[in-house]
Amino acid sequence: MATITFIQHDGTSRDIPLTEGTSLMQLARDNRVPGIDGDCGGACACGTCHVIIDREWLAAVGPRNAEEKQMLELTPDVQPGSRLACQIQTTGALDGLRVHLPEHQM
């Protein structure tokens, strides 16, 4: 079974079965991953689904779009791998993806 690993800031990790065709944010919310609120429902308008993608996975998830870049500018703890989970669509190619949650979303 394909999975995505969500890692809390304290190092606690949880493997979630990957559901293709849904956003990473919705996958996290459906599985009650702490720290992924998605207050705007996936409209790229709040930044409450900020995640940090491991460097080796950046090409697989694709680049940030213009709206996402603007939202991330308003978000604390932005790093080179920072993304909004609502902007990443899950596919089988993301099997094994490791997603870190920033400290401010605990």
Side-chain angles (χ1 to χ4, degrees):
M1 175 186 302
T3 61
I4 292 179
T5 302
F6 289 86
I7 305 165
Q8 302 294 319
H9 186 71
D10 67 3
T12 304
S13 66
R14 186 166 160 212
D15 293 335
I16 302 294
L18 187 150
T19 304
E20 288 194 49
T22 187
S23 72
L24 194 57
M25 179 211 67
Q26 193 60 52
L27 181 71
R29 287 180 62 183
D30 289 350
N31 288 278
R32 297 189 172 126
V33 173
I36 301 288
D37 294 334
D39 291 340
C40 70
C44 195
C46 71
T48 61
C49 66
H50 177 198
V51 294
I52 302 161
I53 304 297
D54 281 348
R55 180 183 304 196
E56 62 269 16
W57 285 97
L58 290 176
V61 299
R64 300 173 186 161
N65 64 38
E67 289 177 347
E68 185 177 7
K69 286 178 186 178
Q70 287 180 325
M71 283 307 310
L72 285 169
E73 288 175 2
L74 305 172
T75 306
D77 302 328
V78 174
Q79 298 180 25
S82 288
R83 293 294 308 272
L84 295 181
C86 67
Q87 299 302 297
I88 299 172
Q89 294 299 307
T90 57
T91 69
L94 297 182
D95 181 21
L97 174 66
R98 296 173 52 83
V99 178
H100 300 267
L101 282 85
E103 183 175 16
H104 76 273
Q105 284 182 202
M106 295 304 294

